[in-house]
Amino acid sequence: MQAYRTSTKLKLGLIAAAVGIAVASLVFTQRLADRLEAQDEAAVELWARAIEFQYAAGAQSVAQFDRLDALRQRVEASELAPVVRDSVLAALDLAMEGGSQDGLDFVFSQIVVPNRFSVPAIVTDSALTFVSAWRNIEGVGEDALSDAESARLLDEAAAMDRFNTPIAVDQDRQLVHYGESPLARLIRLFPFVQLAVVGLFILVGYLGFSYVRRSEQSNLWVGMAKEAAHQLGTPLSSMIGWVELMRMGDEAPRADAIADELEQDIDRLRRVADRFEKIGSLPDLVRQPVAPILESVGDYMRRRLPQSGPPIRLTVEASEGLEASMNAELFEWVIENLLKNAIDAMADGGDLSVRAIAQGTDVVVDVADTGKGMDRATARHVFRPGFSTKRRGWGLGLSLAKRIVEAYHGGTLQVVSTRPGGGTTFRITLDGTAVAPTAEPAPIAPR
């Protein structure tokens, strides 16, 4: 149930993140587009006023020329002295040649004619029947307009007016219609493209997460099945052996001896059943001495040490009076898993130790071996479900051990030291109470 709730929260978190990114992107790009639109509008306004100035300056130049020409005619017909008349006529000719035309030429050549902005714009008469100028209209060149192109520009001008109010020039005799620049359109479309990319990223992440989760679940189920078979196999094999001895008749051991051994195997099966029953539910923790639990596991594992090949020496030490809150069946399972992994890593024999001491109010249990050790990369992944360095391993033992220690007992399980060829030390830390925290660990003699 907890895993399901966590998965649901993760999905909702991904959706909320996508919505948040989308909203923030839409707000930001909308503001950016509005600022760009204001700049485009200012550029069109400048273009329109330049056209208006051109018309006004042109009309003023014609009127001024007419006045100067009339004055020149009067001077020519006057009876002024030739020297004076010639000087006045020269000045009038200079004025008529257009000193004031420079400003008009600048406006026309630098603002009206060049493409100073990318906003599509069309200049028409106020009745929207004639096109006099246009800028940035796709598919329409600068040459004379055909009837079809003129009709198209008039339609586009009417469409532009639905979004932007046209700018009046030349005393409202002409209107400048304008639309949205390509850059502004791209900016408005950008958040939707970004949302699609973010959505795709979240989808890929979710599918990847689901795949990893399904893979881990599959490894977990396979591992649990193999672990159950492994846990049950040892006492069952022993019971089968005792049954065979019972069938030997007179040569069989005494019935009470066989009954004692069968009782131990049955008790072992009960412990295995209890362990798997407690996986998935919070077990009851009882404050109890640590030494008897470690001694029990040590005795069980010594009887299963390899009898051929280099010897493995197993020692168990625990400080007197050391207690901790734990579930005995599950904690024994943790120690067994650590010892089994250590034995598998000691093909050349060596020393294997379990040592429990007090550190403040904590109980620290170190399981150390002199086996082949691990490199750093392996040590980082050793607790991951499905990860195993054994050819026929299923990568569940250490993962279950870590879950039992941390999720059920509120402690920690970690690799404190390891190196290739130099052995490995696992450390379990539990909340406990030491009656004699300064006492040296009391060795539990092998049996």
Side-chain angles (χ1 to χ4, degrees), residues 115-325:
N115 192 3
R116 295 296 185 186
F117 54 92
S118 59
V119 181
I122 303 173
V123 181
T124 69
D125 61 330
S126 58
L128 207 63
T129 58
F130 176 76
V131 177
S132 58
W134 62 93
R135 285 288 182 272
N136 305 312
I137 303 299
E138 186 177 355
V140 180
E142 298 181 358
D143 300 332
L145 293 173
S146 63
D147 293 340
E149 290 176 333
S150 179
R152 176 195 163 192
L153 289 179
L154 291 173
D155 291 339
E156 290 197 16
M160 291 175 180
D161 292 346
R162 289 197 292 269
F163 301 98
N164 299 308
T165 303
I167 301 173
V169 298
D170 192 20
Q171 299 180 354
D172 296 338
R173 289 195 294 269
Q174 297 193 73
L175 298 176
V176 177
H177 315 267
Y178 63 97
E180 192 174 46
S181 66
L183 180 58
R185 285 197 298 271
L186 287 176
I187 290 178
R188 292 190 187 278
L189 289 175
F190 174 74
F192 300 101
V193 176
Q194 186 182 35
L195 180 60
V197 173
V198 171
L200 180 62
F201 174 77
I202 292 178
L203 176 62
V204 171
Y206 172 74
L207 293 177
F209 168 77
S210 299
Y211 172 78
V212 171
R213 186 183 61 182
R214 287 195 300 269
S215 178
E216 289 186 350
Q217 288 176 344
S218 177
N219 290 333
L220 181 64
W221 285 115
V222 172
M224 286 290 288
K226 291 184 177 181
E227 179 71 15
H230 178 72
Q231 291 279 331
L232 296 173
T234 301
L236 286 176
S237 298
S238 178
M239 294 174 71
I240 292 172
W242 290 116
V243 170
E244 291 297 327
L245 287 176
M246 292 175 63
R247 290 175 176 172
M248 293 174 61
D250 295 339
E251 298 180 5
R254 292 177 53 186
D256 55 349
I258 294 178
D260 290 341
E261 294 295 335
L262 287 175
E263 186 178 11
Q264 291 183 11
D265 291 331
I266 292 173
D267 182 67
R268 179 67 183 175
L269 289 175
R270 180 191 61 78
R271 287 173 175 265
V272 171
D274 288 343
R275 291 174 180 178
F276 282 98
E277 181 183 4
K278 290 179 172 64
I279 293 296
S281 60
L282 291 178
D284 295 329
L285 302 182
V286 179
R287 181 168 294 279
Q288 54 191 301
V290 176
I293 296 176
L294 299 181
E295 180 181 4
S296 174
V297 178
D299 290 341
Y300 174 78
M301 295 303 299
R302 286 191 191 95
R303 295 195 296 269
R304 285 155 182 80
L305 291 174
Q307 300 301 314
S308 61
I312 297 177
R313 294 170 294 276
L314 173 59
T315 59
V316 178
E317 301 178 10
S319 298
E320 295 181 0
L322 203 60
E323 293 184 353
S325 296

Side-chain angles (χ1 to χ4, degrees), residues 309-378:
I312 297 177
R313 294 170 294 276
L314 173 59
T315 59
V316 178
E317 301 178 10
S319 298
E320 295 181 0
L322 203 60
E323 293 184 353
S325 296
M326 64 177 68
N327 181 276
E329 287 80 7
L330 291 181
F331 193 73
E332 286 180 357
W333 195 1
V334 172
I335 302 299
E336 284 182 21
N337 272 312
L338 295 178
L339 291 177
K340 287 177 183 177
N341 279 278
I343 293 171
D344 292 339
M346 300 174 66
D348 298 329
D351 294 322
L352 175 58
S353 65
V354 180
R355 186 170 185 265
I357 61 173
Q359 283 188 355
T361 59
D362 293 335
V363 172
V364 175
V365 180
D366 285 347
V367 178
D369 65 70
T370 58
K372 61 183 180 180
M374 300 178 287
D375 55 28
R376 290 184 178 180
T378 303

